[in-house]
Amino acid sequence: SQTIHQWPATLVQPVGSPLSLECTVEGTSNPNLYWYRQAAGRGLQLLFYSVGIGQISSEVPQNLSASRPQDRQFILSSKKLLLSDSGFYLCAWSVRADTQYFGPGTRLTVL
Amino acid sequence: QKEVEQDPGPLSVPEGAIVSLNCTYSNSAFQYFMWYRQYSRKGPELLMYTYSSGNKEDGRFTAQVDKSSKYISLFIRDSQPSDSATYLCAPRYGNNRLAFGKGNQVVVIP
């Protein structure tokens, strides 16, 4: 069966520090991968999606970036965090046009 | 203009009541409509989805889509305290992306 992992589960970072969140999927090949952010009082906002290794599409302009170095690994990064980057970050996967399945999420607090 | 609108609530109901949730959308090109359930501090999990207009039933849950009015509904019969969660509607669009509303928070009181 398929499993999705995210780490860390919780992170507290100072403003201006770098960020690296990791997501890995097991039990499937060539999945579509997605990064979402859920800020307080707001819905899930799609940040990036990837349909293959090295193929990243950005949905909104921001100081975040994403990379997909391996088929089942998706990384979200920032060089300098802003207060507005605080939120609940969710990774999701799907097989082509099938259902999206979400990971457990990373709760990021920027102070 | 936001693509998907949901009243965030919270909606409080007594155990056993019928819960009625809805959302509206603006993009007439949406064809698939997902409902996810999200417990506090957890990732969303898929409840059910419908294609185009019509009804779909799965146990105590019924999803309805009215494309003519761009209106999506979810009904929960015989609500249980374990149904207390936030319910997210999410139409699907190109490259299997989802457009989420803010979600409807439901509290079922024992």
Side-chain angles (χ1 to χ4, degrees), chain B residues 64-106:
Chain B
Q64 288 183 352
V65 177
D66 182 348
K67 290 197 71 181
S68 63
S69 57
K70 299 188 181 70
Y71 196 83
I72 310 164
S73 301
L74 179 71
F75 300 96
I76 308 173
R77 293 185 298 280
D78 187 24
S79 57
Q80 304 295 311
S82 59
D83 295 327
S84 297
T86 297
Y87 292 82
L88 306 163
C89 74
R92 195 172 81 186
Y93 60 107
N95 275 325
N96 202 34
R97 290 171 288 177
L98 298 174
F100 282 93
K102 287 185 180 180
N104 300 123
Q105 185 184 358
V106 173

Side-chain angles (χ1 to χ4, degrees), chain A residues 38 59 94 97-98 100, chain B residues 36 38 41 46 92 96-97:
Chain A
Q38 190 173 36
E59 287 287 295
S94 72
D98 205 348
Q100 281 190 33
Chain B
Y36 282 82
Q38 186 177 23
R41 307 179 79 86
L46 181 71
R92 195 172 81 186
N96 202 34
R97 290 171 288 177

Side-chain angles (χ1 to χ4, degrees), chain A residues 32 34 36 38 41-44 46 49 51 59 88 90 94-105 107, chain B residues 2 34 36 38-46 49 86 88 92-103:
Chain A
N32 286 3
Y34 309 83
Y36 292 86
Q38 190 173 36
R42 304 184 67 178
L44 271 77
L46 180 62
Y49 71 96
V51 298
E59 287 287 295
F88 192 39
L90 289 154
S94 72
V95 177
R96 290 178 292 281
D98 205 348
T99 305
Q100 281 190 33
Y101 298 94
F102 285 82
R107 190 160 300 277
Chain B
K2 287 189 63 67
M34 314 294 183
Y36 282 82
Q38 186 177 23
Y39 291 111
S40 181
R41 307 179 79 86
K42 302 289 186 183
E45 55 181 348
L46 181 71
Y49 69 91
T86 297
L88 306 163
R92 195 172 81 186
Y93 60 107
N95 275 325
N96 202 34
R97 290 171 288 177
L98 298 174
F100 282 93
K102 287 185 180 180

Side-chain angles (χ1 to χ4, degrees), chain B residues 16-31:
Chain B
I18 294 175
V19 177
S20 175
L21 307 173
N22 57 74
C23 71
T24 58
Y25 63 94
S26 57
N27 189 338
S28 58
F30 291 149
Q31 293 280 15

Side-chain angles (χ1 to χ4, degrees), chain B residues 43-64:
Chain B
E45 55 181 348
L46 181 71
L47 264 181
M48 58 195 305
Y49 69 91
T50 54
Y51 172 70
S52 193
S53 284
N55 295 358
K56 185 173 183 179
E57 189 173 316
D58 185 357
R60 296 185 294 111
F61 298 89
T62 300
Q64 288 183 352

Side-chain angles (χ1 to χ4, degrees), chain A residues 11-20 37 63-64 77-86 89 108-111:
Chain A
L11 192 59
V12 180
Q13 292 284 94
V15 170
S17 64
L19 174 74
S20 181
R37 177 172 60 205
N63 70 321
L64 300 171
S77 304
S78 174
K79 292 181 180 178
K80 288 186 177 182
L81 284 169
L82 307 173
L83 286 174
S84 57
D85 292 323
S86 293
Y89 287 82
L108 171 66
T109 303
V110 182
L111 301 175

